[in-house]
Amino acid sequence: MDRKALVVGNWKMQLSYKGELELARALKNLLRGVTVTADIVVCPSFAALEAVGEVFKNSDKVELGAQGIFGEEKGAFTGQVSVLQISSLVRWCIVGHSEQRAVYRLTDGDVQRQADLALKHGLVPIICVGETAEERATEQTVKKITEQVTGLLQKLTRASFSKLVVAYEPVWAIGSGEQPDPNDISAILLLIRKLITERFDRQASDRVRLLYGGSVTPDTVGLFVSEPGVDGVLVGGASTHPNQFVDILKKVQAAHVSEAT
Ligand code: PGA
C-alpha cells in the first residue's frame, strides 16, 4: 500500500512569538525551491497559530497542527485549550505527547478521549505512544505499546482509526540524542499495524500512517525512514532549524520514493 510520507515539526515552547514567525517565513522561503511530495505539518505554540497560519496561507505545501488539546470541549479549565478554539486554524493535532503525559499526568484514557474529540471536530490526531527508559530497561516495551494501542483500538471506531496517525516516540529518545536500533523501530511499527489488523482488518491497518519520533536529525533520519513500514517522522528540536527540517524532509521523500518503487 502506498501511503503518503508525513513529516511533522513540533516546535514545542522553544521560541518566542517573533521567533516562530521568523521560522515560519524561513521555512516557506526554503520550500519554494523544493518539490514536495510528502505531507508537511508544523505545530507552533497556540499563541502563534493564527499568525503562522497567515504566513502559510497561500502555501499548499505546509499545514498546521496543534501541540495538544484538552479532553473537554468547554468549561472551567484555566490555562487549557479546547478543540473548539483551534479547529478552524489547524487540520492536525498531536495527542498524548510524552511531555504532556508527564507534565499533566495524562492517562491512556485521557489520550483516547482527546483523540476522539479531535476526530469529532475534523482534525487528524497524531497519537504518540512510547515506553520510558525504565520500561525499556525492564523489557516492558512491547507490553507498554500493546496496552497503549489496544486502549485506542477499543475506544475508536474502524472508520476513525483509519484517519489517524500513530507516532512511536520512545520517551528516553526524545531530546536526548539517543535512538533505538532502526530494526527495533520497524518491529514496533509492525506490532502496531498487527494490533490494528487483529482488531479490524488489513485494509484499515494499511491506511494508518506510522511515524517515528525521538532525536531525529538530518544525519540520522535516513536510518529510520529506510526501514520498512516507517511512513515519516515527528521532529522536535531539529524542526526549529529550517535548514535541518528541510533536509529531513528531503531524506524522507527520497526514502519513500525508493520504497514505493
Ligand atoms: P526531539 O523531539 O526530536 O527533540 O527528540 C521529538 C518530539 O518530542 O516529538
Side-chain angles (χ1 to χ4, degrees), residues 173 179 212-218 220-221 224 233-239 244 248:
Q179 278 125 10
Y212 168 73
S215 296
V216 173
T217 67
T220 58
V221 69
F224 312 131
V233 283
L234 174 48
V235 188
S239 72
Q244 291 188 26
I248 289 171

Side-chain angles (χ1 to χ4, degrees), residues 71-91:
E72 301 286 339
E73 287 179 347
K74 62 187 287 193
F77 302 107
T78 303
Q80 298 295 340
V81 174
S82 159
V83 64
L84 297 178
Q85 295 162 328
I86 53 151
S87 58
S88 61
L89 300 173
V90 299
R91 203 172 87 76

